[in-house]
Amino acid sequence: MDKIIDEAMKRGAEYADIRFLSKEGTRLELKDGELKKSIYGKDGGTSMRVLYKGAWGFFSTNDLSKKSLENALDTAFKLAKGSSTMVKERIHLADVKAVKAKKILHAKKDPQDMSIEEKHALILNMSSAISEIKGVHTVTAVYGDGTEIQHILNSDGADLYSQVTRTFVYARIIAREGKNVVGFSTSTGGTGGFEIFDLEDPVKKGIKAGESAVRILSAKKAPGGKMTIITDHNLTGVFAHEALGHATEGDCIVSGNSCLEGKIGERIGSEKVTIIDDPSVKNAFGSFPFDAEGVKAQRKILVENGILKNYILNRETAYKLKMTPNGGARAESYSVHPLVRMSNTFIDNGDHSFEELIEDIKLGVYVKGTRGGQVSTAKGTFQFNAQEAFLIKNGEITTPLKDVSIAGATLETLKNIDACGNDFKLGDPGSCGKGQWVPVSDGGPHIRIRNVVLGGGT
Amino acid sequence: MIDIGNKVIKKAVKLGADQAEVFISSGKQNAFTIEKNAVTCTSGMEISGIGIRILKNSRMGFTYCTDLLEAEEAIKKALSLSKLGKEMPYFSFTSENKIRPIDNLFDKRIHELGVEYGLQKSKEMIDSALEVNKNINVTNGYIIYGSSSFAIVNSQGVEIEDKGTTILGTVGTVMKDAGISTGFEEICSRMLDVDFDIAGKNAAELAVKSHNPKKCEDSGETTILFTPYAFRDMLEFITIPALHGDIAHKGESVYSDKVGELVASEEISIIDDATLPNGLNSAIVDDEGVPSKRVELIKAGVLKTFLYDVSTAKEYGKESTGSGSRSERLKVAKSYKSLPIIDARNLILQGRTHPIDELIDEVKKGLLVYTVLGAHTANPASGDFSVNSSLLFKIEDGEIKHPIKSAMISGNMPDCLKNLVGMGNDFKKLTGEIMPISLMIPTIGVEKVTVSA
């Protein structure tokens, strides 16, 4: 492999790297107690990147023969040469110390050693427990595990081997009463094996979700207009990830697509707000030891007490912004070019108890979880729908509400966060899509936001 | 490919499978990433692999691999996985063999395109956007093209092989002057007949048109003209999933038990046509070997059928609509790693169409909406949605007045299809926002939708 990289450099490349990735895993899908899908697969391949006269060439293949790898170099080189003819602004990479290292995120109860029966039993137990709740109509339960081995070599001399195992379960619950139908999702998982489920019991969590789904059946429509809201750790996390996190991604910044461009050092939120992206959180779903360029994963304080401190960067965007690379390059698979991505993104703890947060709210809404969210990073606007919500009246949580959605301008909203709880927790594991899907998590404490626009459906 | 397929089938049967199916996929594509007015990465990809479904004691297991030497080990795993699987005594892989060719799915010119073409067209697309206004920047975009082939062989006698080509492009613009506005355009085809110049120009003109937006002052019920881009999201995330046979028969869809009923305006028909010439998702068969069909889902407002793959169809006593999909969004080749799932192929809206100007003429007070954020957060079971738009225009007394900064739009999607006020003639071929589906839809006018600032 070293030879292939040497060959690229001999031909005049400024930089070259090669990334091998293999994935092995099982996925089971249970619908109403019956195993509808059972999949085992093994997949692997390689990609090569060449930087020539300031332009990238990237080639991937899953044919790992020597001949194919030589051809990969040839092609990547040709592609880079092609791009270099139209480069307007040469690409450079910020320096990082080349490291040789091997890091395995150990799975204590390794799913690759466990029987299919054990995996099946886990989701069957969860699914049965949820199905017993009166009002629950159907339950789809998914079990997934995957072990990913990545080996990266580059022309700076880096040689990094890493192995990460992820295990998760997911339940999609439909509650129904006549024509009234409610969907609700919950997931549990992280980096590691079955020990994840000792930390958080997916069965208990599933039952809670089932009860929520049924409760929403008789929930009322939410009031519309501007209001004070309290978000739970799931929705706090979604806000941190969707509204703020995406706008701090280096590629967004350099392409002029972020409302946070040029704002490092400026106040963008209330002093109560500290937001962090940290791929080194033990057992968290979005954790990894090295990024897809071989840069060590590291904790990044994006916002500290309301001041924008950092962006998420790969080597290329770090150079352009004259900043330090912080391990933000991730790729969905061997076959795609790494992009700047988040890992585990969260708002840091404050010092208020939940009771203190709500006690002076005359009329507000407690919003929990999300059915998804979207954001325009350029305009700095966001929208998400809460999965569950309750009316807050005179400092007390009262009636359940349904179909609550919140929207707003990110920067305005960050300033309207006037208190953070002291009950930090990471939310459900998930997947973030940006042309490529990567595992992530997000979270935070309960937070209080003033003047949020609520949409209450029709 | 068929030879390899037959060998794997033989191996699977020898190892104990009652039935087996092999799906082989192979493809190559080039992609050009555009950032800040330049191509920042040129990439190539070659991928191939096999997916194997086995049936043992009426229970299914699935496995995939990229190395033929690993096929035997993989089959053994699949056989052990199948033990716990749902018993499906009714299931059998398809033995249908009546296949009709479809025009314009493979263009030798695309198959043979080198890197130079993509670089040149990227440049043209960027330049034509920049020419529109000095304050325009092309912030992001891509051009992707390539060719692929696939084969399906099963133990029930099906042996099919086909190939195709695809070309796609998208471009996003930002105009920064007093304020900031955005524009975009996307194009796609199976043939080398796309115009990247126009795509760049359209994206830039949209950013210019939407510059200096005003605050949304209206609230309450209004009429909305959804452009194809906005309506795509609504169909993809709300209507299409509700028409999936598995979801519908489980009673999880607003359309459950409604076959034969009037569920939309009589002016509207929704067709899923996998045989559409030059259709982005057209192929002679679906991804489990069932010959492709033209399926009328909603005809003149009446719900006719749901979408079925082989197993769902057999389970509920229906025929497969050829809706088993292993496509991947923005990938030229199909995925050997996926089990077929039910999905739409080329979704087409039909009805009496009008020039867009006439549609606008008819609107006393309303909005022309280019994008919606958050359609995927709609309640899938009821079809209630609440989306945010930050690229839209105010319409008053039959005229487009000015761009609007942002508005929240909420309603119920099944009701929207009933409250149709008109259909444009500006049909646009689009890929799904997230799903690997394709749509061929015009601007759609809908009344009684709620808007708030």
Side-chain angles (χ1 to χ4, degrees):
Chain A
M1 290 320 103
D2 292 351
K3 271 186 199 154
I4 287 186
I5 288 174
D6 288 348
E7 178 61 31
M9 299 307 281
K10 246 189 259 165
R11 290 198 208 170
E14 284 134 29
Y15 170 87
D17 67 17
I18 187 160
R19 182 166 55 97
F20 292 89
L21 197 75
S22 74
K23 259 186 200 173
E24 176 183 7
T26 299
R27 185 182 167 94
L28 306 174
E29 195 175 313
L30 205 65
K31 189 146 189 189
D32 297 323
E34 287 174 321
L35 191 62
K36 294 270 281 193
K37 285 183 185 172
S38 32
I39 305 172
Y40 164 81
K42 207 171 166 182
D43 198 20
T46 186
S47 63
M48 174 130 200
R49 291 196 304 174
V50 172
L51 190 62
Y52 178 81
K53 288 192 179 164
W56 281 121
F58 176 92
F59 185 76
S60 69
T61 175
N62 60 8
D63 178 353
L64 295 179
S65 65
K66 188 166 170 265
K67 207 180 136 202
S68 152
L69 293 180
E70 283 164 5
N71 171 53
L73 168 69
D74 254 7
T75 313
F77 208 88
K78 248 187 249 164
L79 293 167
K81 259 190 162 164
S83 322
S84 72
T85 60
M86 334 188 5
V87 153
K88 286 194 179 158
E89 194 182 336
R90 278 193 169 213
I91 290 163
H92 297 273
L93 302 182
D95 288 334
V96 285
K97 204 176 148 220
V99 182
K100 290 187 198 300
K102 181 174 176 175
K103 176 100 185 180
I104 297 173
L105 295 188
H106 284 283
K108 279 188 197 139
K109 298 181 182 173
D110 192 343
Q112 307 311 339
D113 296 336
M114 302 190 69
S115 72
I116 171 82
E117 283 80 6
E118 282 168 287
K119 298 172 184 180
H120 179 241
L122 180 69
I123 45 174
L124 187 61
N125 288 341
M126 176 175 71
S127 166
S128 314
I130 302 170
S131 298
E132 274 171 25
I133 299 167
K134 196 171 168 257
V136 168
H137 184 63
T138 55
V139 181
T140 305
V142 175
Y143 164 86
D145 64 50
T147 299
E148 194 176 294
I149 295 172
Q150 178 177 267
H151 190 184
I152 296 174
L153 296 152
N154 71 25
S155 53
D156 296 337
D159 182 346
L160 296 160
Y161 174 98
S162 62
Q163 182 179 327
V164 179
T165 298
R166 289 191 177 84
T167 310
F168 72 92
V169 296
Y170 164 85
R172 169 98 195 132
I173 303 158
I174 303 282
R176 188 170 187 174
E177 191 180 33
K179 284 192 169 180
N180 193 1
V181 185
V182 169
F184 205 96
S185 305
T186 177
S187 55
T188 311
T191 48
F194 270 55
E195 68 271 19
I196 303 288
F197 307 124
D198 300 334
L199 300 172
E200 190 168 31
D201 182 359
V203 178
K204 276 189 197 150
K205 207 169 160 185
I207 292 171
K208 262 192 153 174
E211 288 167 353
S212 293
V214 172
R215 186 165 49 229
I216 300 169
L217 280 174
S218 53
K220 294 195 172 79
K221 291 277 186 191
K226 280 195 172 177
M227 217 165 276
T228 297
I229 64 166
I230 303 284
T231 57
D232 79 331
H233 59 281
N234 270 315
L235 193 53
T236 298
V238 171
F239 177 76
H241 173 105
E242 296 285 352
L244 187 278
H246 278 297
T248 67
E249 289 170 338
D251 50 347
C252 246
I253 304 284
V254 300
S255 64
N257 246 326
S258 168
C259 57
L260 299 178
E261 184 183 347
K263 290 206 163 78
I264 293 277
E266 281 182 29
R267 170 163 299 283
I268 60 160
S270 89
E271 58 183 19
K272 309 281 179 188
V273 185
T274 293
I275 304 180
I276 294 161
D277 182 81
D278 187 358
S280 65
V281 179
K282 195 172 181 250
N283 289 128
F285 202 57
S287 295
F288 52 87
F290 311 111
D291 79 348
E293 294 186 308
V295 179
K296 195 173 182 300
Q298 51 204 269
R299 179 180 162 99
K300 304 167 276 291
I301 299 176
L302 303 172
V303 178
E304 193 172 30
N305 302 325
I307 311 289
L308 182 66
K309 287 283 182 181
N310 207 349
Y311 298 132
I312 300 173
L313 302 162
N314 60 2
R315 295 182 64 180
E316 179 183 333
T317 55
Y319 184 90
K320 275 189 195 160
L321 295 163
K322 299 191 176 64
M323 294 171 75
T324 312
N326 51 27
R330 300 181 73 185
E332 179 184 273
S333 74
Y334 68 87
S335 65
V336 285
H337 200 276
L339 301 175
V340 179
R341 306 302 296 264
M342 280 173 267
S343 59
N344 308 298
T345 315
F346 49 84
I347 294 188
D348 212 7
N349 246 344
D351 43 22
H352 295 275
S353 69
F354 183 68
E355 289 71 26
E356 284 166 5
L357 288 180
I358 65 166
E359 66 190 2
D360 66 344
I361 299 177
K362 285 218 162 65
L363 186 67
V365 176
Y366 177 32
V367 257
K368 299 178 74 175
T370 175
R371 296 204 298 262
Q374 261 183 11
V375 58
S376 164
T377 52
K379 292 180 177 163
T381 55
F382 67 88
Q383 183 275 343
F384 359 94
N385 282 32
Q387 183 153 254
E388 194 178 8
F390 296 88
L391 195 68
I392 304 173
K393 235 178 168 175
N394 299 323
E396 273 179 44
I397 306 281
T398 62
T399 337
L401 302 172
K402 67 177 176 184
D403 295 334
V404 173
S405 73
I406 59 173
T410 306
L411 296 177
E412 218 171 283
T413 309
L414 281 169
K415 285 179 184 138
N416 288 336
I417 296 177
D418 74 342
C420 292
N422 55 11
D423 48 2
F424 177 88
K425 208 176 136 188
L426 274 182
D428 289 2
S431 207
C432 170
K434 180 174 161 181
Q436 304 174 21
W437 293 95
V438 293
V440 294
S441 79
D442 46 49
H446 281 97
I447 61 172
R448 187 170 64 206
I449 319 177
R450 304 288 187 185
N451 289 321
V452 175
V453 177
L454 243 74
T458 46
Chain B
M1 276 189 176
I2 287 184
D3 285 349
I4 295 173
N6 275 319
K7 269 183 206 155
V8 177
I9 296 279
K10 251 187 212 156
K11 200 170 272 172
V13 171
K14 201 175 149 197
L15 288 168
D18 300 330
Q19 286 188 25
E21 176 208 60
V22 178
F23 180 84
I24 307 178
S25 165
S26 171
K28 56 163 195 168
Q29 71 180 50
N30 279 316
F32 305 84
T33 310
I34 297 166
E35 286 170 314
K36 218 176 186 176
N37 304 327
V39 175
T40 50
C41 182
T42 306
S43 60
M45 181 199 287
E46 279 177 17
I47 194 163
S48 59
I50 58 176
I52 306 164
R53 285 199 287 175
I54 62 96
L55 206 61
K56 168 98 175 163
N57 300 325
S58 303
R59 295 167 201 267
M60 195 182 291
F62 175 68
T63 186
Y64 59 83
C65 57
T66 49
D67 189 341
L68 261 186
L69 296 172
E70 283 175 354
E72 182 159 338
E73 198 48 44
I75 293 167
K76 283 180 188 162
K77 280 259 192 188
L79 283 164
S80 86
L81 282 177
S82 73
K83 275 182 225 160
L84 298 165
K86 180 186 178 184
E87 203 175 354
M88 303 188 290
Y90 46 81
F91 186 87
S92 170
F93 293 114
T94 184
S95 55
E96 274 189 80
N97 256 324
K98 278 171 273 161
I99 285 148
R100 265 181 300 170
I102 302 166
D103 288 338
N104 295 341
L105 300 185
F106 182 83
D107 189 335
K108 198 159 170 259
R109 292 173 299 172
I110 296 179
H111 178 65
E112 288 167 356
L113 277 185
V115 192
E116 299 71 23
Y117 175 86
L119 290 166
Q120 187 54 38
K121 291 296 162 188
S122 299
K123 189 172 182 302
E124 287 173 18
M125 187 159 78
I126 294 165
D127 289 346
S128 64
L130 300 183
E131 271 166 28
V132 170
N133 185 296
K134 66 175 176 14
N135 294 317
I136 287 283
N137 272 305
V138 175
T139 49
N140 62 290
Y142 57 76
I143 289 178
I144 296 173
Y145 51 80
S147 58
S148 69
S149 52
F150 71 94
I152 299 172
V153 180
N154 72 30
S155 55
Q156 311 312 105
V158 165
E159 285 184 357
I160 289 157
E161 215 172 354
D162 199 13
K163 61 180 180 180
T165 49
T166 301
I167 184 161
L168 311 150
T170 160
V171 51
T173 55
V174 167
M175 177 165 166
K176 258 188 197 160
D177 193 4
I180 181 166
S181 61
T182 59
F184 64 91
E185 179 60 294
E186 42 185 284
I187 42 174
C188 56
S189 183
R190 304 296 295 270
M191 309 296 285
L192 200 59
D193 58 5
V194 285
D195 194 332
F196 292 102
D197 266 6
I198 292 180
K201 190 166 164 262
N202 288 350
E205 282 176 351
L206 184 56
V208 172
K209 262 200 302 199
S210 61
H211 208 63
N212 290 326
K214 293 187 178 161
K215 272 204 164 169
C216 178
E217 280 161 353
D218 301 307
S219 61
E221 278 195 357
T222 190
T223 297
I224 293 195
L225 301 187
F226 289 100
T227 62
Y229 313 99
F231 210 62
R232 171 243 323 260
D233 285 44
M234 310 292 286
L235 289 169
E236 173 178 359
F237 295 113
I238 313 174
T239 307
I240 296 175
L243 292 168
H244 286 187
D246 47 354
I247 293 169
H249 283 280
K250 288 273 181 190
E252 293 171 11
S253 159
V254 276
Y255 295 126
S256 296
D257 306 318
K258 293 219 168 115
V259 172
E261 288 180 29
L262 196 67
V263 297
S265 155
E266 288 174 27
E267 298 285 331
I268 246 182
S269 292
I270 301 183
I271 289 140
D272 186 23
D273 189 357
T275 68
L276 183 72
N278 198 354
L280 217 57
N281 256 322
S282 296
I284 52 172
V285 290
D286 77 350
D287 299 337
E288 48 182 354
V290 175
S292 286
K293 297 176 172 70
R294 181 179 185 277
V295 185
E296 288 183 321
L297 292 165
I298 292 175
K299 191 179 182 183
V302 177
L303 180 63
K304 289 290 183 187
T305 180
F306 301 117
L307 294 168
Y308 298 98
D309 60 1
V310 171
S311 76
T312 314
K314 293 253 167 83
E315 185 169 357
Y316 297 105
K318 308 280 179 187
E319 293 270 310
S320 166
T321 48
S323 307
S325 168
R326 309 194 207 215
S327 294
E328 281 192 283
R329 188 175 172 270
L330 304 188
K331 298 266 169 67
V332 171
K334 294 167 184 293
S335 169
Y336 55 86
K337 286 198 271 190
S338 330
L339 271 166
I341 54 162
I342 295 178
D343 220 333
R345 306 280 290 276
N346 304 299
L347 196 91
I348 305 168
L349 285 188
Q350 277 188 351
R352 190 142 42 97
T353 61
H354 309 270
I356 294 304
D357 290 349
E358 278 179 28
L359 281 188
I360 294 170
D361 272 351
E362 296 292 311
V363 179
K364 265 219 159 86
K365 217 174 171 194
L367 299 167
L368 175 64
V369 173
Y370 270 81
T371 59
V372 293
L373 279 183
H376 65 292
T377 63
N379 185 327
S382 66
D384 286 344
F385 64 85
S386 183
V387 295
N388 193 61
S389 177
S390 46
L391 218 177
L392 72 169
F393 298 86
K394 181 179 173 124
I395 310 174
E396 208 171 57
D397 298 323
E399 259 179 73
I400 297 180
K401 284 287 173 196
H402 54 75
I404 284 176
K405 207 168 182 183
S406 111
M408 195 96 142
I409 299 161
S410 48
N412 175 276
M413 186 58 181
D415 288 346
C416 283
L417 291 177
K418 286 180 189 158
N419 298 333
L420 179 85
V421 292
M423 200 183 273
N425 60 1
D426 53 342
F427 280 87
K428 176 92 189 159
K429 194 193 299 182
L430 293 167
T431 60
E433 188 71 44
I434 287 187
M435 298 305 291
I437 55 168
S438 175
L439 305 98
M440 183 79 145
I441 53 174
T443 293
I444 297 287
V446 168
E447 61 183 1
K448 293 180 192 157
V449 182
T450 304
V451 63
S452 51

